[in-house]
Amino acid sequence: MCGLVVNLNDGDETAPFRALPRQVQAIENNLSIANMDFFEFARAAGPDGVFRGF
């Protein structure tokens, strides 16, 4: 089971991706402190569109 991660930033057209449940908190933490950008997680998703971590 995977969760859908959607970018809500205006002007950023990066497509949504799916993430394993254990990765959702890491994504939220890094985005909330501006440590990483949404596109970095989206780009790290596998060929099936699922982010499994770095």
Side-chain angles (χ1 to χ4, degrees), residues 8-47:
L8 299 177
N9 291 327
D10 288 335
D12 187 348
E13 303 279 330
T14 306
F17 61 92
R18 297 204 173 271
L20 295 179
R22 68 176 179 258
Q23 295 299 329
V24 172
Q25 189 64 48
I27 294 169
E28 192 280 329
N29 289 345
N30 282 288
L31 292 176
S32 69
I33 63 171
N35 187 45
M36 296 180 75
D37 291 321
F38 186 87
F39 75 88
E40 293 176 282
F41 291 102
R43 185 175 54 200

